[in-house]
Amino acid sequence: MAGTLLQLSKVGWEIHYLNLANGCCGSMETDRQETARIRLEEAQRAAKILGAAFHHPICDDMAIFYTPELLAKVASAVRKADPQIVLTHALVDYMEDHQNAARLAVSATFIKFSPNFICDPPANSVIGDVAVYHAQPHGNCTPVREPVMPEIIIDCTDVIEQKTSALAAHASQKNWLDSTQKMNSYIQSMIDNSKHVAGLADRGLQHGEGWRRHLHLGFGPSGFDPLSDALGEKVFRIG
């Protein structure tokens, strides 16, 4: 989703970056503590390349569960950012960490209005319409291989080099993904996917990111679509 973040930044939006998990399990070479340390430095470097405010991770890999404790932590981050746009994972994706991250992001955004919900660390409730957008699942399909089509595609062609640089900051992931998920080059996989998503728009785009808007109920009025409003000509609607 870095391309969409960059496009928002270009038109004056403040952007934020939060990985819920610390990456501790993502290495065949270093132990959990060292891997988490490396991943934290890489994430901070990526956020700096994007020009995004950085929020620290809240748990270990494969420990993202829909619990009151983690919800309180994500809700605190949401309240501090006070967003109009929340970009998160698909609700149905290839691994549980992604799916649970999406659920936590949705609930944390939903509860940002309520002063009686206690955050960790404490943060005041915030009022204002907000829209949640779900990214394409990895592989553009569900875990049972059903294809997933985006509602809108954001043209990321003019920011692809900066997006690539931010992804390259996560250098320690290369060996992990090569050896465990047979991705060959995680950067090339990103490029290939962005080209595939761009092709779904059938408008001659080179690179794109796909999004589906969460149901508005509990978040704002039915027509509230700040991502499309903000990016205008960069937005291509499917169907």
Side-chain angles (χ1 to χ4, degrees), residues 104-155:
L104 287 166
V106 170
S107 290
T109 304
F110 182 87
I111 205 67
K112 80 182 184 75
F113 305 99
S114 174
N116 290 338
F117 183 82
I118 300 173
C119 297
D120 179 23
N124 292 330
S125 61
V126 289
I127 300 297
D129 295 333
V130 60
V132 178
Y133 298 83
H134 296 284
Q136 284 291 98
H138 186 39
N140 297 298
C141 64
T142 71
V144 291
R145 304 184 304 280
E146 299 163 329
V148 174
M149 288 291 290
E151 176 188 358
I152 60 172
I153 292 172
I154 305 299
D155 182 4

Side-chain angles (χ1 to χ4, degrees), residues 34-68:
E34 177 64 8
T35 302
R37 184 194 66 78
I38 292 169
R39 288 293 184 90
L40 177 61
E41 291 181 353
E42 291 174 340
Q44 290 172 323
R45 193 175 307 127
K48 186 175 182 179
I49 290 170
L50 297 175
F54 181 80
H55 298 259
H56 281 260
I58 63 173
C59 64
D60 291 340
D61 281 359
M62 300 309 297
I64 302 177
F65 295 104
Y66 192 84
T67 65

